[in-house]
Amino acid sequence: MDHRDEQEFAEYFAARRDSVRRTAYLLCGDWHRADDLAQTAFVALHRRWRKIRDRAATDAYLRTTLVRAAIDESRRPWRRERYTDTPPEPPPSADPLADRVATREDLLAGLRRVPPRQRAVLVLRYFEGLDVSGVAKVLGCSEGNVKSQTARGLANLRDVLGEEVDTHG
């Protein structure tokens, strides 16, 4: 953008900033989120500033961008969270093993004692979240091999840790 375009955008921004922020607040109900939405809309406008031929349509473009940003933001999973004054109580545990948690160091030490191929399968399956076919592709082996290595690796890890290992995940 040349200097004249930058100056025009700066003047437009100064004139419209507060009203866009108020509109954003009405869309989302939170001043901090409204600031973010307004910023998103103005950044999008700045990118397209030179391409806007009809300056009279700038308000409509900015408003459309603002509404779309608000809708997109509301669809994000973390926006579905609801805040409460008190945290929920943890469910009572009938299983004494559920109260025992292996520390990260214990788990890493246990994994080091599992054979390398089994360790690779366990890491890819349970830490990277790959499915059986994904692990087979990464390791260049059959799905049956992945399944058997998973079973053997979990058995070895159970032996090394000396307790139940939760494999439901």
Side-chain angles (χ1 to χ4, degrees):
M1 239 194 288
D2 64 13
H3 181 68
R4 194 181 96 237
D5 286 338
E6 284 290 343
Q7 183 63 33
E8 283 180 14
F9 179 81
E11 289 171 5
Y12 181 82
F13 174 77
R16 301 292 296 150
R17 173 184 52 215
D18 292 337
S19 67
V20 170
R21 185 173 178 252
R22 279 191 300 272
T23 302
Y25 176 76
L26 293 174
L27 290 170
C28 69
D30 178 83
W31 284 110
H32 298 289
R33 286 181 55 208
D35 289 336
D36 292 343
L37 292 172
Q39 178 179 345
T40 299
F42 277 115
V43 166
L45 177 63
H46 186 267
R47 279 190 296 235
R48 306 253 329 162
W49 188 256
R50 291 182 64 203
K51 296 178 182 178
I52 296 175
R53 292 183 193 137
D54 182 11
R55 296 289 187 202
T58 305
D59 287 344
Y61 177 82
L62 187 62
R63 189 177 320 103
T64 300
T65 304
L66 182 66
V67 170
R68 287 181 180 164
I71 290 170
D72 288 346
E73 187 70 16
S74 71
R75 290 179 179 156
R76 303 227 166 112
W78 59 85
R79 293 293 179 208
R80 294 185 205 126
E81 294 177 1
R82 299 289 177 241
Y83 297 102
T84 62
D85 291 332
T86 58
E89 293 296 320
S93 176
D95 182 13
L97 286 178
D99 295 330
R100 292 180 15 204
V101 178
T103 64
R104 179 184 176 115
E105 293 81 21
D106 292 340
L107 182 58
L108 292 174
L111 279 173
R112 281 192 294 270
R113 294 178 57 195
V114 172
R117 186 81 165 177
Q118 294 172 9
R119 182 182 333 134
V121 170
L122 293 178
V123 168
L124 291 172
R125 287 278 288 131
Y126 296 105
F127 293 97
E128 294 295 320
L130 295 179
D131 60 2
V132 173
S133 64
V135 175
K137 286 179 186 174
V138 170
L139 296 178
C141 63
S142 70
E143 291 183 17
N145 187 284
V146 170
K147 291 175 185 178
S148 65
Q149 291 292 320
T150 301
R152 290 183 190 125
L154 289 173
N156 284 332
L157 190 57
R158 282 186 193 104
D159 290 342
V160 168
L161 293 177
E163 60 184 51
E164 289 291 320
V165 176
D166 181 18
T167 59
H168 307 298

